[in-house]
Amino acid sequence: MSAGTGDAARAASVRTRTGARLRGVAGALLVALALGAWALAGGASQGGASAPAAAPAHRAAARVNVAAQRAALRRALALVSYRGRLGYRIVLAPPRLGVRAETNAGTRTITIFLDPPDAPHRVAHDIAHELGHAWDARHLDDAGRRAYLRARGVARAAWWPRTVGADYATGAGDFAEVFARCHAASPEFRSRLAPPPADACAALPERARGTG
């Protein structure tokens, strides 16, 4: 995730996913939509089957202006440099307490629980973090993941979350955070596994460093 400080990490909402879901479909990903087209080609749709229901306390916030969400998404996408074709589309959902974004590798969707007033760089970081998971599922194998953990100085760390919830203390979450640090114009870094690298792009596999 983003933000290099404990305060920023605490402020960041938890993304929900399981490692098993990503592992099970890692080999089935297809090349499809480019990131630059998502905001126009159906990616800025409201809701979606994978979007969880809003908590009762946040029902008022769930009545979000769809046009404002789409405008906020476009502003955030302008801050994301990665344009690789990973086969995912962005789905917008109402703000959800405790969750900023999630990736579903089975449906190849990235759901952003977007509150339009949120800072564009934070939304950009959320998008780039989820793109990091998509890149991981598409390109990394077990050997590549072990090599990444060794380079980060946490060779014994688990890659996948063992429970549904935050992934910031796992290899998968750290990789997504480093990916986001490389590809989003955002100062945030939310990983709890290792400190932010001096050069985030250099910490990634070579194929993940470019804009796609």
Side-chain angles (χ1 to χ4, degrees):
M1 295 197 141
S2 10
T5 67
D7 288 342
R10 286 190 293 273
S13 300
V14 175
R15 292 186 178 89
T16 303
R17 75 181 60 75
T18 66
R21 181 175 63 191
L22 285 173
R23 286 198 303 274
V25 297
L29 299 175
L30 301 176
V31 171
L33 299 176
L35 172 63
W38 282 351
L40 301 176
S45 58
Q46 174 71 20
S50 64
H58 267 248
R59 279 177 183 157
R63 293 193 291 271
V64 65
N65 183 294
V66 176
Q69 270 197 323
R70 291 174 175 169
L73 176 64
R74 291 188 180 96
R75 289 193 295 270
L77 286 172
L79 303 178
V80 179
S81 63
Y82 190 77
R83 294 294 184 271
R85 294 176 176 267
L86 294 170
Y88 285 71
R89 68 187 181 95
I90 287 179
V91 175
L92 290 176
R96 184 185 178 195
L97 182 65
V99 183
R100 292 190 62 83
E102 65 182 13
T103 295
N104 187 320
T107 58
R108 297 197 297 277
T109 55
I110 291 172
T111 300
I112 307 296
F113 301 95
L114 200 160
D115 192 5
D118 206 357
H121 78 268
R122 298 199 73 216
V123 180
H125 189 95
D126 297 335
I127 294 168
H129 177 105
E130 302 306 328
L131 285 172
H133 285 306
W135 200 97
D136 172 3
R138 179 72 175 86
H139 294 291
L140 286 181
D141 56 15
D142 288 344
R145 294 177 182 118
R146 287 193 298 269
Y148 174 84
L149 291 175
R150 286 194 302 271
R152 291 285 281 145
V154 287
R156 295 180 179 272
W159 189 266
W160 306 107
R162 291 187 171 87
T163 60
V164 173
D167 62 10
Y168 300 140
T170 67
D174 184 81
F175 179 87
E177 279 300 289
V178 173
F179 192 96
R181 185 79 164 221
C182 175
H183 291 292
S186 169
E188 299 197 9
F189 190 75
R190 304 167 189 162
S191 175
R192 297 196 297 269
L193 187 67
D199 184 338
C201 293
L204 295 171
E206 187 173 356
R207 288 188 298 170
R209 298 172 190 171
T211 59

